[in-house]
Amino acid sequence: MKVSRYKKDDAVTYALGATVVMEFLNFAPEVLTGVIMHPAFRSEDTIAKIKEITANNRIPLSTEEKPFNILSQKENCFVIGVINKNASVLKTNLNEGSHVVLVNPSNAGNLGTIIRSCAGFGVKDIAIVTPAVDHFDPKTIRASMGALAKVNIETFSSFEDYKERFPDNNYYPFMLDGSTLLQETNINEPFSLIMGNEATGLPSEFQKVGQPVRIEHTSNIDSLNLTIATSIALYEATKSRFKS
Protein backbone atom coordinates (compact mmCIF):
# COMPACT_ATOMS: atom_id res chain seq x y z
CA MET A 1 0.00 0.00 0.00
CA LYS A 2 1.48 3.34 -1.03
CA VAL A 3 2.15 5.91 1.70
CA SER A 4 4.23 9.09 1.95
CA ARG A 5 5.51 11.29 4.74
CA TYR A 6 2.64 13.38 6.02
CA LYS A 7 2.10 16.93 4.78
CA LYS A 8 -0.67 19.24 5.92
CA ASP A 9 -2.05 19.63 2.39
CA ASP A 10 -2.38 15.87 1.86
CA ALA A 11 -5.83 14.36 1.40
CA VAL A 12 -5.01 11.58 3.86
CA THR A 13 -3.37 11.27 7.25
CA TYR A 14 -2.23 8.34 9.37
CA ALA A 15 -3.07 6.68 12.67
CA LEU A 16 0.06 5.05 14.06
CA GLY A 17 -0.16 2.13 16.48
CA ALA A 18 -2.60 -0.74 17.04
CA THR A 19 -4.53 0.96 19.87
CA VAL A 20 -5.01 4.14 17.86
CA VAL A 21 -6.06 2.30 14.69
CA MET A 22 -8.54 0.15 16.64
CA GLU A 23 -10.34 3.30 17.80
CA PHE A 24 -10.95 4.25 14.18
CA LEU A 25 -11.92 0.70 13.22
CA ASN A 26 -14.42 0.53 16.08
CA PHE A 27 -15.87 4.03 15.93
CA ALA A 28 -15.19 5.54 12.48
CA PRO A 29 -14.35 2.78 9.99
CA GLU A 30 -15.85 4.87 7.18
CA VAL A 31 -12.85 7.26 7.22
CA LEU A 32 -10.28 4.49 6.81
CA THR A 33 -9.04 3.85 3.28
CA GLY A 34 -6.54 1.20 4.30
CA VAL A 35 -4.87 -0.63 7.18
CA ILE A 36 -1.29 -1.89 7.15
CA MET A 37 0.16 -4.44 9.57
CA HIS A 38 3.87 -4.99 10.18
CA PRO A 39 5.08 -8.53 9.41
CA ALA A 40 6.48 -8.73 12.96
CA PHE A 41 3.08 -8.03 14.56
CA ARG A 42 2.21 -10.98 16.78
CA SER A 43 -0.95 -10.00 18.71
CA GLU A 44 -3.25 -12.72 17.42
CA ASP A 45 -6.43 -11.38 19.03
CA THR A 46 -5.86 -7.88 17.63
CA ILE A 47 -4.94 -9.26 14.20
CA ALA A 48 -8.16 -11.27 14.15
CA LYS A 49 -10.22 -8.18 15.08
CA ILE A 50 -8.50 -6.08 12.42
CA LYS A 51 -9.15 -8.73 9.78
CA GLU A 52 -12.79 -9.03 10.78
CA ILE A 53 -13.56 -5.30 10.85
CA THR A 54 -11.67 -4.49 7.65
CA ALA A 55 -13.40 -7.35 5.83
CA ASN A 56 -16.85 -6.30 7.08
CA ASN A 57 -16.23 -2.70 5.99
CA ARG A 58 -14.33 -3.53 2.79
CA ILE A 59 -11.23 -1.69 3.99
CA PRO A 60 -8.05 -2.76 2.14
CA LEU A 61 -5.65 -4.62 4.45
CA SER A 62 -2.00 -5.42 3.75
CA THR A 63 0.99 -6.81 5.63
CA GLU A 64 4.27 -5.11 4.72
CA GLU A 65 7.27 -3.44 6.33
CA LYS A 66 8.18 -0.54 4.00
CA PRO A 67 5.38 1.87 5.07
CA PHE A 68 6.63 1.67 8.66
CA ASN A 69 10.11 2.75 7.56
CA ILE A 70 8.52 5.80 5.92
CA LEU A 71 6.00 6.81 8.59
CA SER A 72 7.26 5.55 11.93
CA GLN A 73 10.66 4.61 13.28
CA LYS A 74 9.24 3.53 16.64
CA GLU A 75 9.81 -0.12 17.42
CA ASN A 76 6.40 -0.48 19.08
CA CYS A 77 4.38 0.63 16.05
CA PHE A 78 2.95 -2.40 14.26
CA VAL A 79 -0.25 -1.08 12.67
CA ILE A 80 -0.94 1.94 10.45
CA GLY A 81 -4.35 3.28 9.50
CA VAL A 82 -4.73 5.44 6.38
CA ILE A 83 -7.41 8.04 7.06
CA ASN A 84 -9.38 10.32 4.75
CA LYS A 85 -9.30 13.90 6.03
CA ASN A 86 -13.01 14.67 6.01
CA ALA A 87 -14.18 18.08 7.20
CA SER A 88 -16.77 18.03 9.99
CA VAL A 89 -19.33 20.60 11.11
CA LEU A 90 -20.21 21.49 14.70
CA LYS A 91 -23.69 20.86 16.04
CA THR A 92 -26.04 23.64 17.06
CA ASN A 93 -28.85 21.97 19.02
CA LEU A 94 -29.13 22.44 22.78
CA ASN A 95 -28.23 18.91 23.83
CA GLU A 96 -25.21 18.60 21.58
CA GLY A 97 -24.35 22.24 20.96
CA SER A 98 -21.69 22.69 23.64
CA HIS A 99 -18.15 23.21 22.43
CA VAL A 100 -14.55 23.61 23.46
CA VAL A 101 -13.10 26.55 21.52
CA LEU A 102 -9.32 26.57 21.13
CA VAL A 103 -7.86 29.87 20.00
CA ASN A 104 -4.55 29.39 18.17
CA PRO A 105 -3.37 26.13 19.80
CA SER A 106 0.21 25.46 18.73
CA ASN A 107 1.27 22.06 20.08
CA ALA A 108 0.20 18.75 18.54
CA GLY A 109 0.62 16.80 21.75
CA ASN A 110 -1.47 19.26 23.75
CA LEU A 111 -4.20 19.27 21.12
CA GLY A 112 -4.31 15.48 21.06
CA THR A 113 -4.63 15.32 24.84
CA ILE A 114 -7.44 17.91 24.79
CA ILE A 115 -9.27 15.91 22.11
CA ARG A 116 -9.07 12.85 24.37
CA SER A 117 -10.37 14.84 27.36
CA CYS A 118 -13.26 16.21 25.28
CA ALA A 119 -14.26 12.70 24.24
CA GLY A 120 -13.96 11.52 27.84
CA PHE A 121 -16.26 14.22 29.19
CA GLY A 122 -18.75 13.88 26.35
CA VAL A 123 -18.09 17.22 24.64
CA LYS A 124 -17.63 15.94 21.14
CA ASP A 125 -17.52 19.25 19.26
CA ILE A 126 -14.30 21.28 19.12
CA ALA A 127 -13.80 24.61 17.37
CA ILE A 128 -10.26 25.62 16.45
CA VAL A 129 -9.48 29.23 15.57
CA THR A 130 -6.57 29.46 13.16
CA PRO A 131 -3.66 29.88 12.83
CA ALA A 132 -3.28 26.65 14.74
CA VAL A 133 -1.53 23.31 14.81
CA ASP A 134 -2.93 20.75 12.36
CA HIS A 135 -5.49 18.52 14.09
CA PHE A 136 -4.96 15.90 11.37
CA ASP A 137 -1.23 15.64 12.09
CA PRO A 138 -0.36 12.00 12.96
CA LYS A 139 1.28 13.35 16.15
CA THR A 140 -2.05 14.86 17.20
CA ILE A 141 -3.93 11.67 16.36
CA ARG A 142 -1.46 9.54 18.33
CA ALA A 143 -1.57 11.92 21.33
CA SER A 144 -5.37 11.64 21.30
CA MET A 145 -5.01 7.84 21.46
CA GLY A 146 -7.45 7.69 18.57
CA ALA A 147 -10.09 9.87 20.26
CA LEU A 148 -10.16 11.95 17.07
CA ALA A 149 -12.43 9.18 15.78
CA LYS A 150 -15.06 10.21 18.35
CA VAL A 151 -15.17 14.01 17.99
CA ASN A 152 -16.08 16.66 15.43
CA ILE A 153 -13.56 19.41 14.76
CA GLU A 154 -14.27 22.50 12.69
CA THR A 155 -11.76 25.27 12.02
CA PHE A 156 -12.57 28.98 11.88
CA SER A 157 -10.44 31.79 10.51
CA SER A 158 -11.43 34.04 13.43
CA PHE A 159 -13.37 33.93 16.69
CA GLU A 160 -15.85 36.35 15.13
CA ASP A 161 -16.64 33.74 12.48
CA TYR A 162 -17.29 31.18 15.20
CA LYS A 163 -19.43 33.60 17.21
CA GLU A 164 -21.52 34.45 14.15
CA ARG A 165 -22.34 30.76 13.71
CA PHE A 166 -23.22 30.20 17.36
CA PRO A 167 -24.68 33.47 18.71
CA ASP A 168 -26.89 31.71 21.28
CA ASN A 169 -24.12 29.78 23.04
CA ASN A 170 -23.01 30.81 26.52
CA TYR A 171 -19.39 31.96 26.26
CA TYR A 172 -16.84 31.27 29.00
CA PRO A 173 -13.35 32.51 28.11
CA PHE A 174 -10.75 31.20 30.56
CA MET A 175 -8.43 34.06 31.53
CA LEU A 176 -7.21 35.98 34.56
CA ASP A 177 -8.45 39.49 33.81
CA GLY A 178 -12.01 40.47 34.65
CA SER A 179 -12.94 36.94 35.53
CA THR A 180 -14.91 35.08 38.19
CA LEU A 181 -13.77 31.92 39.96
CA LEU A 182 -14.70 28.72 38.17
CA GLN A 183 -16.30 27.25 41.30
CA GLU A 184 -18.49 30.34 41.59
CA THR A 185 -19.59 30.30 37.96
CA ASN A 186 -22.74 28.59 36.70
CA ILE A 187 -21.88 27.09 33.33
CA ASN A 188 -25.05 26.83 31.29
CA GLU A 189 -25.55 24.75 28.17
CA PRO A 190 -25.03 25.12 25.34
CA PHE A 191 -21.63 26.38 26.44
CA SER A 192 -18.46 27.45 24.70
CA LEU A 193 -15.37 26.89 26.86
CA ILE A 194 -12.83 29.22 25.26
CA MET A 195 -9.14 28.50 25.82
CA GLY A 196 -6.15 30.50 24.57
CA ASN A 197 -2.75 29.69 23.17
CA GLU A 198 -0.31 27.74 25.36
CA ALA A 199 2.16 30.63 25.66
CA THR A 200 0.03 33.77 25.42
CA GLY A 201 -3.45 32.80 26.60
CA LEU A 202 -6.44 34.75 25.32
CA PRO A 203 -6.10 38.35 24.08
CA SER A 204 -7.47 41.08 26.37
CA GLU A 205 -10.52 41.67 24.14
CA PHE A 206 -11.99 38.40 25.42
CA GLN A 207 -12.72 40.22 28.71
CA LYS A 208 -15.83 41.50 26.93
CA VAL A 209 -16.91 38.08 25.64
CA GLY A 210 -19.50 36.29 27.75
CA GLN A 211 -18.42 35.51 31.32
CA PRO A 212 -14.63 35.31 31.75
CA VAL A 213 -13.58 32.55 34.16
CA ARG A 214 -10.39 31.72 36.01
CA ILE A 215 -9.16 28.56 37.71
CA GLU A 216 -7.70 29.45 41.09
CA HIS A 217 -4.40 27.87 42.13
CA THR A 218 -1.59 28.64 44.58
CA SER A 219 1.29 31.00 43.91
CA ASN A 220 3.61 27.99 43.61
CA ILE A 221 3.02 28.11 39.85
CA ASP A 222 2.33 30.96 37.46
CA SER A 223 -0.24 29.12 35.37
CA LEU A 224 -1.73 25.75 34.53
CA ASN A 225 -0.83 23.78 31.43
CA LEU A 226 -3.45 24.24 28.69
CA THR A 227 -4.40 20.56 28.70
CA ILE A 228 -4.89 20.51 32.47
CA ALA A 229 -6.87 23.76 32.49
CA THR A 230 -9.13 22.48 29.70
CA SER A 231 -9.73 19.19 31.50
CA ILE A 232 -10.64 21.00 34.73
CA ALA A 233 -13.02 23.25 32.79
CA LEU A 234 -14.60 20.25 31.08
CA TYR A 235 -15.13 18.46 34.38
CA GLU A 236 -16.79 21.48 35.98
CA ALA A 237 -18.96 22.13 32.92
CA THR A 238 -20.20 18.54 32.58
CA LYS A 239 -20.28 17.18 36.15
CA SER A 240 -24.07 17.48 36.35
CA ARG A 241 -24.37 15.03 33.45
CA PHE A 242 -22.84 12.28 35.56
CA LYS A 243 -25.08 12.60 38.59
CA SER A 244 -27.11 9.47 39.26
Side-chain angles (χ1 to χ4, degrees):
M1 194 174 299
K2 186 177 180 181
V3 301
S4 59
R5 292 193 180 278
Y6 176 76
K7 297 187 293 294
K8 188 173 183 177
D9 293 335
D10 290 345
V12 299
T13 185
Y14 304 99
L16 304 177
T19 301
V20 180
V21 175
M22 285 304 303
E23 289 293 286
F24 282 91
L25 285 169
N26 286 323
F27 296 100
E30 68 279 0
V31 304
L32 286 164
T33 62
V35 175
I36 308 165
M37 295 190 296
H38 195 284
F41 192 36
R42 293 291 182 266
S43 178
E44 296 302 325
D45 288 345
T46 303
I47 290 172
K49 290 177 183 176
I50 290 173
K51 288 182 175 179
E52 178 185 1
I53 297 172
T54 53
N56 289 342
N57 291 275
R58 298 182 180 180
I59 301 169
L61 174 65
S62 66
T63 300
E64 49 190 312
E65 184 174 351
K66 185 177 178 181
F68 292 85
N69 297 330
I70 296 171
L71 296 175
S72 176
Q73 301 300 318
K74 294 187 176 182
E75 295 180 359
N76 63 343
C77 182
F78 294 103
V79 184
I80 294 171
V82 184
I83 301 168
N84 258 336
K85 292 163 65 172
N86 296 325
S88 55
V89 178
L90 303 190
K91 301 180 182 68
T92 57
N93 60 299
L94 177 61
N95 293 328
E96 295 182 295
S98 291
H99 312 143
V100 165
V101 182
L102 302 174
V103 180
N104 312 134
S106 61
N107 182 278
N110 285 345
L111 179 56
T113 302
I114 290 170
I115 290 169
R116 184 168 173 78
S117 291
C118 286
F121 287 107
V123 179
K124 297 184 178 181
D125 288 298
I126 302 170
I128 296 179
V129 178
T130 59
V133 65
D134 179 13
H135 63 279
F136 282 119
D137 191 306
K139 295 177 183 177
T140 304
I141 296 173
R142 191 171 177 88
S144 81
M145 293 301 293
L148 184 66
K150 302 175 182 178
V151 302
N152 300 310
I153 297 179
E154 184 175 354
T155 59
F156 297 83
S157 59
S158 68
F159 179 74
E160 287 68 29
D161 288 347
Y162 168 81
K163 192 174 180 181
E164 185 176 344
R165 276 272 305 283
F166 303 99
D168 297 325
N169 272 32
N170 299 291
Y171 301 117
Y172 301 97
F174 280 72
M175 58 194 307
L176 296 177
D177 297 334
S179 57
T180 62
L181 292 173
L182 176 58
Q183 63 267 32
E184 297 175 357
T185 305
N186 292 321
I187 297 180
N188 300 309
E189 298 204 46
F191 57 72
S192 298
L193 307 179
I194 308 167
M195 317 300 292
N197 173 269
E198 291 91 336
T200 60
L202 289 172
S204 59
E205 55 262 32
F206 278 86
Q207 293 177 28
K208 300 178 181 179
V209 175
Q211 175 56 66
V213 183
R214 72 180 182 276
I215 301 171
E216 196 81 341
H217 55 74
T218 71
S219 59
N220 293 327
I221 58 172
D222 59 355
S223 63
L224 292 169
N225 177 278
L226 175 62
T227 60
I228 294 173
T230 305
S231 295
I232 293 172
L234 281 163
Y235 168 77
E236 189 67 24
T238 62
K239 63 184 181 181
S240 63
R241 299 181 181 181
F242 301 99
K243 290 181 179 179
S244 57

PDB file of all heavy atoms in Angstrom, residues 8-34:
ATOM      1  N   LYS A   8       0.620  18.662   5.528  1.00  0.00           N
ATOM      2  CA  LYS A   8      -0.673  19.240   5.920  1.00  0.00           C
ATOM      3  C   LYS A   8      -1.656  19.305   4.759  1.00  0.00           C
ATOM      4  O   LYS A   8      -2.872  19.166   4.953  1.00  0.00           O
ATOM      5  CB  LYS A   8      -0.466  20.634   6.519  1.00  0.00           C
ATOM      6  CG  LYS A   8      -1.726  21.237   7.118  1.00  0.00           C
ATOM      7  CD  LYS A   8      -1.434  22.535   7.839  1.00  0.00           C
ATOM      8  CE  LYS A   8      -2.692  23.095   8.490  1.00  0.00           C
ATOM      9  NZ  LYS A   8      -2.425  24.337   9.261  1.00  0.00           N
ATOM     10  N   ASP A   9      -1.158  19.489   3.545  1.00  0.00           N
ATOM     11  CA  ASP A   9      -2.046  19.627   2.390  1.00  0.00           C
ATOM     12  C   ASP A   9      -2.486  18.286   1.811  1.00  0.00           C
ATOM     13  O   ASP A   9      -3.272  18.257   0.852  1.00  0.00           O
ATOM     14  CB  ASP A   9      -1.355  20.449   1.297  1.00  0.00           C
ATOM     15  CG  ASP A   9      -1.144  21.893   1.720  1.00  0.00           C
ATOM     16  OD1 ASP A   9      -1.907  22.381   2.581  1.00  0.00           O
ATOM     17  OD2 ASP A   9      -0.204  22.540   1.204  1.00  0.00           O
ATOM     18  N   ASP A  10      -2.000  17.182   2.374  1.00  0.00           N
ATOM     19  CA  ASP A  10      -2.382  15.866   1.863  1.00  0.00           C
ATOM     20  C   ASP A  10      -3.864  15.600   2.090  1.00  0.00           C
ATOM     21  O   ASP A  10      -4.471  16.122   3.027  1.00  0.00           O
ATOM     22  CB  ASP A  10      -1.573  14.766   2.561  1.00  0.00           C
ATOM     23  CG  ASP A  10      -0.099  14.775   2.159  1.00  0.00           C
ATOM     24  OD1 ASP A  10       0.238  15.435   1.155  1.00  0.00           O
ATOM     25  OD2 ASP A  10       0.705  14.128   2.862  1.00  0.00           O
ATOM     26  N   ALA A  11      -4.427  14.749   1.248  1.00  0.00           N
ATOM     27  CA  ALA A  11      -5.831  14.365   1.399  1.00  0.00           C
ATOM     28  C   ALA A  11      -6.015  13.291   2.462  1.00  0.00           C
ATOM     29  O   ALA A  11      -7.144  13.062   2.927  1.00  0.00           O
ATOM     30  CB  ALA A  11      -6.389  13.860   0.069  1.00  0.00           C
ATOM     31  N   VAL A  12      -4.927  12.638   2.843  1.00  0.00           N
ATOM     32  CA  VAL A  12      -5.006  11.584   3.861  1.00  0.00           C
ATOM     33  C   VAL A  12      -4.022  11.868   4.986  1.00  0.00           C
ATOM     34  O   VAL A  12      -3.071  12.638   4.834  1.00  0.00           O
ATOM     35  CB  VAL A  12      -4.713  10.184   3.266  1.00  0.00           C
ATOM     36  CG1 VAL A  12      -5.723   9.839   2.183  1.00  0.00           C
ATOM     37  CG2 VAL A  12      -3.285  10.097   2.740  1.00  0.00           C
ATOM     38  N   THR A  13      -4.286  11.241   6.116  1.00  0.00           N
ATOM     39  CA  THR A  13      -3.367  11.273   7.249  1.00  0.00           C
ATOM     40  C   THR A  13      -3.236   9.853   7.782  1.00  0.00           C
ATOM     41  O   THR A  13      -3.800   8.907   7.203  1.00  0.00           O
ATOM     42  CB  THR A  13      -3.837  12.250   8.334  1.00  0.00           C
ATOM     43  OG1 THR A  13      -2.839  12.311   9.362  1.00  0.00           O
ATOM     44  CG2 THR A  13      -5.170  11.823   8.941  1.00  0.00           C
ATOM     45  N   TYR A  14      -2.527   9.686   8.903  1.00  0.00           N
ATOM     46  CA  TYR A  14      -2.225   8.341   9.367  1.00  0.00           C
ATOM     47  C   TYR A  14      -2.422   8.202  10.876  1.00  0.00           C
ATOM     48  O   TYR A  14      -2.052   9.089  11.650  1.00  0.00           O
ATOM     49  CB  TYR A  14      -0.779   7.973   9.019  1.00  0.00           C
ATOM     50  CG  TYR A  14      -0.471   8.113   7.549  1.00  0.00           C
ATOM     51  CD1 TYR A  14       0.184   9.245   7.058  1.00  0.00           C
ATOM     52  CD2 TYR A  14      -0.866   7.133   6.635  1.00  0.00           C
ATOM     53  CE1 TYR A  14       0.455   9.389   5.707  1.00  0.00           C
ATOM     54  CE2 TYR A  14      -0.608   7.272   5.278  1.00  0.00           C
ATOM     55  CZ  TYR A  14       0.057   8.409   4.817  1.00  0.00           C
ATOM     56  OH  TYR A  14       0.312   8.554   3.473  1.00  0.00           O
ATOM     57  N   ALA A  15      -3.021   7.082  11.264  1.00  0.00           N
ATOM     58  CA  ALA A  15      -3.074   6.680  12.666  1.00  0.00           C
ATOM     59  C   ALA A  15      -1.968   5.654  12.872  1.00  0.00           C
ATOM     60  O   ALA A  15      -1.904   4.657  12.137  1.00  0.00           O
ATOM     61  CB  ALA A  15      -4.432   6.077  13.000  1.00  0.00           C
ATOM     62  N   LEU A  16      -1.107   5.902  13.853  1.00  0.00           N
ATOM     63  CA  LEU A  16       0.062   5.053  14.063  1.00  0.00           C
ATOM     64  C   LEU A  16      -0.073   4.291  15.377  1.00  0.00           C
ATOM     65  O   LEU A  16      -0.184   4.891  16.439  1.00  0.00           O
ATOM     66  CB  LEU A  16       1.335   5.909  14.081  1.00  0.00           C
ATOM     67  CG  LEU A  16       1.565   6.792  12.839  1.00  0.00           C
ATOM     68  CD1 LEU A  16       2.815   7.636  13.010  1.00  0.00           C
ATOM     69  CD2 LEU A  16       1.664   5.938  11.580  1.00  0.00           C
ATOM     70  N   GLY A  17      -0.070   2.967  15.296  1.00  0.00           N
ATOM     71  CA  GLY A  17      -0.164   2.129  16.480  1.00  0.00           C
ATOM     72  C   GLY A  17      -1.476   1.359  16.523  1.00  0.00           C
ATOM     73  O   GLY A  17      -2.521   1.867  16.107  1.00  0.00           O
ATOM     74  N   ALA A  18      -1.422   0.128  17.041  1.00  0.00           N
ATOM     75  CA  ALA A  18      -2.602  -0.737  17.036  1.00  0.00           C
ATOM     76  C   ALA A  18      -3.756  -0.144  17.842  1.00  0.00           C
ATOM     77  O   ALA A  18      -4.915  -0.170  17.406  1.00  0.00           O
ATOM     78  CB  ALA A  18      -2.223  -2.113  17.586  1.00  0.00           C
ATOM     79  N   THR A  19      -3.462   0.405  19.030  1.00  0.00           N
ATOM     80  CA  THR A  19      -4.528   0.963  19.870  1.00  0.00           C
ATOM     81  C   THR A  19      -5.232   2.113  19.180  1.00  0.00           C
ATOM     82  O   THR A  19      -6.471   2.220  19.215  1.00  0.00           O
ATOM     83  CB  THR A  19      -3.943   1.438  21.215  1.00  0.00           C
ATOM     84  OG1 THR A  19      -3.326   0.338  21.881  1.00  0.00           O
ATOM     85  CG2 THR A  19      -5.031   2.024  22.106  1.00  0.00           C
ATOM     86  N   VAL A  20      -4.451   2.974  18.536  1.00  0.00           N
ATOM     87  CA  VAL A  20      -5.013   4.138  17.855  1.00  0.00           C
ATOM     88  C   VAL A  20      -5.860   3.701  16.660  1.00  0.00           C
ATOM     89  O   VAL A  20      -6.987   4.173  16.466  1.00  0.00           O
ATOM     90  CB  VAL A  20      -3.886   5.092  17.405  1.00  0.00           C
ATOM     91  CG1 VAL A  20      -4.468   6.308  16.694  1.00  0.00           C
ATOM     92  CG2 VAL A  20      -3.047   5.531  18.596  1.00  0.00           C
ATOM     93  N   VAL A  21      -5.324   2.770  15.866  1.00  0.00           N
ATOM     94  CA  VAL A  21      -6.057   2.300  14.688  1.00  0.00           C
ATOM     95  C   VAL A  21      -7.364   1.604  15.100  1.00  0.00           C
ATOM     96  O   VAL A  21      -8.404   1.776  14.445  1.00  0.00           O
ATOM     97  CB  VAL A  21      -5.177   1.363  13.850  1.00  0.00           C
ATOM     98  CG1 VAL A  21      -5.982   0.767  12.685  1.00  0.00           C
ATOM     99  CG2 VAL A  21      -3.971   2.114  13.295  1.00  0.00           C
ATOM    100  N   MET A  22      -7.327   0.843  16.199  1.00  0.00           N
ATOM    101  CA  MET A  22      -8.539   0.147  16.639  1.00  0.00           C
ATOM    102  C   MET A  22      -9.650   1.124  16.996  1.00  0.00           C
ATOM    103  O   MET A  22     -10.834   0.813  16.808  1.00  0.00           O
ATOM    104  CB  MET A  22      -8.227  -0.755  17.828  1.00  0.00           C
ATOM    105  CG  MET A  22      -7.477  -2.035  17.473  1.00  0.00           C
ATOM    106  SD  MET A  22      -8.304  -3.056  16.217  1.00  0.00           S
ATOM    107  CE  MET A  22      -9.904  -3.358  16.967  1.00  0.00           C
ATOM    108  N   GLU A  23      -9.310   2.298  17.510  1.00  0.00           N
ATOM    109  CA  GLU A  23     -10.336   3.299  17.802  1.00  0.00           C
ATOM    110  C   GLU A  23     -11.063   3.706  16.527  1.00  0.00           C
ATOM    111  O   GLU A  23     -12.291   3.845  16.520  1.00  0.00           O
ATOM    112  CB  GLU A  23      -9.707   4.526  18.473  1.00  0.00           C
ATOM    113  CG  GLU A  23      -9.251   4.296  19.900  1.00  0.00           C
ATOM    114  CD  GLU A  23     -10.417   4.063  20.837  1.00  0.00           C
ATOM    115  OE1 GLU A  23     -11.131   5.036  21.152  1.00  0.00           O
ATOM    116  OE2 GLU A  23     -10.626   2.905  21.243  1.00  0.00           O
ATOM    117  N   PHE A  24     -10.322   3.888  15.456  1.00  0.00           N
ATOM    118  CA  PHE A  24     -10.954   4.251  14.183  1.00  0.00           C
ATOM    119  C   PHE A  24     -11.734   3.076  13.604  1.00  0.00           C
ATOM    120  O   PHE A  24     -12.835   3.252  13.060  1.00  0.00           O
ATOM    121  CB  PHE A  24      -9.904   4.749  13.185  1.00  0.00           C
ATOM    122  CG  PHE A  24      -9.461   6.161  13.441  1.00  0.00           C
ATOM    123  CD1 PHE A  24      -8.379   6.419  14.261  1.00  0.00           C
ATOM    124  CD2 PHE A  24     -10.136   7.231  12.886  1.00  0.00           C
ATOM    125  CE1 PHE A  24      -7.971   7.722  14.525  1.00  0.00           C
ATOM    126  CE2 PHE A  24      -9.749   8.537  13.146  1.00  0.00           C
ATOM    127  CZ  PHE A  24      -8.661   8.782  13.966  1.00  0.00           C
ATOM    128  N   LEU A  25     -11.198   1.869  13.720  1.00  0.00           N
ATOM    129  CA  LEU A  25     -11.923   0.697  13.221  1.00  0.00           C
ATOM    130  C   LEU A  25     -13.238   0.503  13.974  1.00  0.00           C
ATOM    131  O   LEU A  25     -14.262   0.155  13.373  1.00  0.00           O
ATOM    132  CB  LEU A  25     -11.048  -0.548  13.360  1.00  0.00           C
ATOM    133  CG  LEU A  25      -9.906  -0.690  12.347  1.00  0.00           C
ATOM    134  CD1 LEU A  25      -8.965  -1.820  12.755  1.00  0.00           C
ATOM    135  CD2 LEU A  25     -10.445  -0.942  10.939  1.00  0.00           C
ATOM    136  N   ASN A  26     -13.222   0.749  15.267  1.00  0.00           N
ATOM    137  CA  ASN A  26     -14.417   0.530  16.079  1.00  0.00           C
ATOM    138  C   ASN A  26     -15.438   1.654  15.977  1.00  0.00           C
ATOM    139  O   ASN A  26     -16.642   1.409  16.062  1.00  0.00           O
ATOM    140  CB  ASN A  26     -14.024   0.342  17.549  1.00  0.00           C
ATOM    141  CG  ASN A  26     -13.405  -1.009  17.828  1.00  0.00           C
ATOM    142  OD1 ASN A  26     -13.815  -2.018  17.255  1.00  0.00           O
ATOM    143  ND2 ASN A  26     -12.405  -1.049  18.699  1.00  0.00           N
ATOM    144  N   PHE A  27     -14.966   2.897  15.813  1.00  0.00           N
ATOM    145  CA  PHE A  27     -15.873   4.033  15.929  1.00  0.00           C
ATOM    146  C   PHE A  27     -16.016   4.862  14.657  1.00  0.00           C
ATOM    147  O   PHE A  27     -16.978   5.609  14.524  1.00  0.00           O
ATOM    148  CB  PHE A  27     -15.428   4.946  17.078  1.00  0.00           C
ATOM    149  CG  PHE A  27     -15.489   4.280  18.416  1.00  0.00           C
ATOM    150  CD1 PHE A  27     -14.349   3.776  19.010  1.00  0.00           C
ATOM    151  CD2 PHE A  27     -16.703   4.125  19.074  1.00  0.00           C
ATOM    152  CE1 PHE A  27     -14.401   3.130  20.237  1.00  0.00           C
ATOM    153  CE2 PHE A  27     -16.773   3.492  20.301  1.00  0.00           C
ATOM    154  CZ  PHE A  27     -15.612   2.986  20.897  1.00  0.00           C
ATOM    155  N   ALA A  28     -15.077   4.762  13.726  1.00  0.00           N
ATOM    156  CA  ALA A  28     -15.186   5.542  12.484  1.00  0.00           C
ATOM    157  C   ALA A  28     -14.556   4.794  11.315  1.00  0.00           C
ATOM    158  O   ALA A  28     -13.687   5.328  10.610  1.00  0.00           O
ATOM    159  CB  ALA A  28     -14.524   6.915  12.663  1.00  0.00           C
ATOM    160  N   PRO A  29     -14.981   3.550  11.076  1.00  0.00           N
ATOM    161  CA  PRO A  29     -14.349   2.777   9.989  1.00  0.00           C
ATOM    162  C   PRO A  29     -14.530   3.411   8.620  1.00  0.00           C
ATOM    163  O   PRO A  29     -13.732   3.164   7.701  1.00  0.00           O
ATOM    164  CB  PRO A  29     -15.063   1.420  10.073  1.00  0.00           C
ATOM    165  CG  PRO A  29     -16.365   1.709  10.747  1.00  0.00           C
ATOM    166  CD  PRO A  29     -16.069   2.809  11.721  1.00  0.00           C
ATOM    167  N   GLU A  30     -15.567   4.263   8.485  1.00  0.00           N
ATOM    168  CA  GLU A  30     -15.845   4.866   7.185  1.00  0.00           C
ATOM    169  C   GLU A  30     -14.752   5.820   6.719  1.00  0.00           C
ATOM    170  O   GLU A  30     -14.662   6.126   5.519  1.00  0.00           O
ATOM    171  CB  GLU A  30     -17.193   5.593   7.221  1.00  0.00           C
ATOM    172  CG  GLU A  30     -17.243   6.849   8.100  1.00  0.00           C
ATOM    173  CD  GLU A  30     -17.429   6.577   9.572  1.00  0.00           C
ATOM    174  OE1 GLU A  30     -17.525   5.386   9.958  1.00  0.00           O
ATOM    175  OE2 GLU A  30     -17.482   7.557  10.356  1.00  0.00           O
ATOM    176  N   VAL A  31     -13.914   6.321   7.634  1.00  0.00           N
ATOM    177  CA  VAL A  31     -12.853   7.260   7.223  1.00  0.00           C
ATOM    178  C   VAL A  31     -11.561   6.538   6.858  1.00  0.00           C
ATOM    179  O   VAL A  31     -10.628   7.169   6.339  1.00  0.00           O
ATOM    180  CB  VAL A  31     -12.566   8.309   8.324  1.00  0.00           C
ATOM    181  CG1 VAL A  31     -13.836   9.047   8.704  1.00  0.00           C
ATOM    182  CG2 VAL A  31     -11.889   7.694   9.548  1.00  0.00           C
ATOM    183  N   LEU A  32     -11.493   5.248   7.111  1.00  0.00           N
ATOM    184  CA  LEU A  32     -10.276   4.490   6.813  1.00  0.00           C
ATOM    185  C   LEU A  32     -10.279   4.031   5.359  1.00  0.00           C
ATOM    186  O   LEU A  32     -11.242   3.429   4.880  1.00  0.00           O
ATOM    187  CB  LEU A  32     -10.162   3.275   7.729  1.00  0.00           C
ATOM    188  CG  LEU A  32      -9.771   3.559   9.180  1.00  0.00           C
ATOM    189  CD1 LEU A  32     -10.057   2.360  10.060  1.00  0.00           C
ATOM    190  CD2 LEU A  32      -8.300   3.945   9.270  1.00  0.00           C
ATOM    191  N   THR A  33      -9.185   4.318   4.663  1.00  0.00           N
ATOM    192  CA  THR A  33      -9.044   3.852   3.284  1.00  0.00           C
ATOM    193  C   THR A  33      -8.052   2.706   3.172  1.00  0.00           C
ATOM    194  O   THR A  33      -7.829   2.177   2.083  1.00  0.00           O
ATOM    195  CB  THR A  33      -8.581   4.995   2.367  1.00  0.00           C
ATOM    196  OG1 THR A  33      -7.294   5.461   2.792  1.00  0.00           O
ATOM    197  CG2 THR A  33      -9.564   6.152   2.405  1.00  0.00           C
ATOM    198  N   GLY A  34      -7.466   2.315   4.301  1.00  0.00           N
ATOM    199  CA  GLY A  34      -6.542   1.196   4.300  1.00  0.00           C
ATOM    200  C   GLY A  34      -5.951   0.976   5.676  1.00  0.00           C
ATOM    201  O   GLY A  34      -5.862   1.895   6.480  1.00  0.00           O
TER     202      GLY A  34
END
